[in-house]
Amino acid sequence: MPTLADTSDHPARDQAEYWRHLITSAFGPFHVQPRAPGGFAARLTGRTLGPIEAGDVHAPAHAVRRSARQIARDTRECYKLGLVLRGSCVLSQNGRRARVGAGDVVFYDLTRPVEIVFGPHHIFTVVIPHSAIPLPPDRLAAFGGTLMAGSTRGGRIVASLLGALADNGDGDGDDEPYAHHLGGAVVELVTGTAGEWLGAPRPSSPEAAEMLRAIKEWIEANLHDPALCPAAIAEAHHISVRQLYRVFQPVGTTVARYIRTCRLEHCRRELGDPFLGTQRIGAIANRWGLPDAAAFSRAFRAAYGQTPTAYRAAATGIQGDG
């Protein structure tokens, strides 16, 4: 992974403040309180893996806190996972207190107040935009402060995948053209685990399950149409919009949001594909039913924290609009 910052490049008296600045830039505003006087030798490396940002953190003992006031100043809406590789921490969110040791993965929400007390540690982190996980953010945020690895089978698989990514962090970068697929796999596994937590309702009958599958396939086949909307979907399937919403309930999101998420995700995958680097960003967005360039750029940035141009450059090294 490329080094984003190393506090050893700064005088000892400035290292803790530089770390606070670095963490704020990477993850949003935080209070940082070292637990010992003197220098603060810490290092952060990271890379973009499609929809997620992965980081590798080495730091001494300290505490961080993110307040409601700091959250109000930050427009990013993200979940964060931390796999402890060495050391430990105690994370508090939503009235829940999680003691996190080596091999544990803790889940928390950056849009809610959180406090973490670290010992000397080495942690692999993943930041995922809310919009990348098609589940209700208000319900999922309530699980902030939960240990994933021990809570569900999916959580254990997430821990294994993050461990493999952490082990590969010092590799030669040969997998970078396919990094967006690795990030997509993390999102899919976290979504599945989150669904287990939420106990998402299942269709009431095999017929309802089959209709939901058919509707999702029909949506996928018609994403290119800017006029795609709940009314059009309901008409095509000879049901009312109210029935459509009822059939769609197990997805855990609205029909309109599901459509938007699918469109943006297709655009993100194609922007992260170096073999499509000659295609203009506007052409990619238009192909997936998003013809308004300004609206697409705003929606993409809200979903993934970067403009489409910046995302393509970070994912593939390709500068400009193709």
Side-chain angles (χ1 to χ4, degrees):
M1 293 185 182
T3 299
L4 300 180
D6 189 331
T7 63
S8 63
D9 296 334
H10 296 257
R13 65 179 181 277
D14 299 331
Q15 289 176 353
E17 176 58 22
Y18 177 61
W19 186 250
R20 184 199 64 77
H21 171 75
L22 171 66
I23 294 302
T24 293
S25 299
F27 306 121
F30 273 91
H31 294 291
V32 176
Q33 181 61 53
R35 296 176 65 187
F40 192 89
R43 186 176 80 250
L44 170 65
T45 59
R47 59 176 169 160
T48 299
L49 297 173
I52 71 173
E53 297 293 331
D56 192 81
V57 181
H58 296 257
H62 67 287
V64 300
R65 179 169 57 86
R66 183 164 163 85
S67 67
R69 179 175 296 181
Q70 289 172 316
I71 291 167
R73 301 202 309 265
D74 192 4
T75 60
R76 289 169 288 189
E77 297 184 339
C78 298
Y79 306 111
K80 189 174 178 183
L81 285 72
L83 167 65
V84 175
L85 300 171
R86 179 180 57 81
S88 64
C89 69
V90 177
L91 186 146
S92 301
Q93 188 172 65
N94 295 327
R96 189 178 290 114
R97 186 179 178 89
R99 297 186 178 276
V100 193
D104 290 332
V105 176
V106 66
F107 171 93
Y108 56 106
D109 188 341
L110 292 176
T111 66
R112 295 197 176 191
V114 62
E115 182 173 354
I116 314 173
V117 179
F118 294 101
H121 62 273
H122 176 196
I123 293 179
F124 184 76
T125 66
V126 166
V127 176
I128 305 175
H130 280 190
S131 57
I133 297 182
L135 295 170
D138 55 338
R139 292 185 62 202
L140 187 52
F143 285 88
T146 296
L147 292 178
M148 293 188 74
S151 59
T152 63
R153 179 178 58 184
R156 293 189 289 275
I157 297 174
V158 171
S160 295
L161 177 55
L162 295 190
L165 290 174
D167 287 342
N168 194 44
D170 295 324
D172 58 13
D174 285 344
D175 63 345
E176 289 308 312
Y178 312 102
H180 58 293
H181 297 299
L182 297 175
V186 172
V187 170
E188 290 295 326
L189 285 173
V190 172
T191 299
T193 301
E196 289 185 74
W197 285 344
L198 295 177
R202 298 181 178 276
S204 57
S205 67
E207 292 78 12
E210 176 58 26
M211 177 169 282
L212 176 60
R213 182 197 62 76
I215 288 173
K216 291 172 75 173
E217 288 184 357
W218 193 89
I219 289 173
E220 182 72 20
N222 288 274
L223 286 174
H224 64 279
D225 183 358
L228 182 64
C229 65
I233 298 168
E235 181 179 358
H237 291 83
H238 310 291
I239 59 176
S240 68
V241 172
R242 179 176 294 182
Q243 286 175 299
L244 172 66
Y245 290 149
R246 190 178 302 121
V247 171
F248 222 77
Q249 215 171 11
V251 179
T253 187
T254 67
V255 180
R257 184 176 179 185
Y258 179 82
I259 293 169
R260 182 175 69 251
T261 299
C262 288
R263 284 172 165 163
L264 290 173
E265 181 62 13
H266 277 290
C267 292
R268 182 197 63 76
R269 290 176 183 173
E270 294 195 359
L271 289 172
D273 190 337
F275 299 108
L276 298 177
T278 59
Q279 294 197 14
R280 296 184 64 83
I281 291 173
I284 291 174
N286 189 67
R287 178 159 61 246
W288 294 108
L290 298 166
D292 186 326
F296 166 64
S297 184
R298 288 193 300 270
F300 191 94
R301 183 165 189 167
Y304 303 111
Q306 293 177 295
T307 65
T309 302
Y311 179 87
R312 169 179 268 180
T316 67
I318 298 170
Q319 303 292 329
D321 191 24

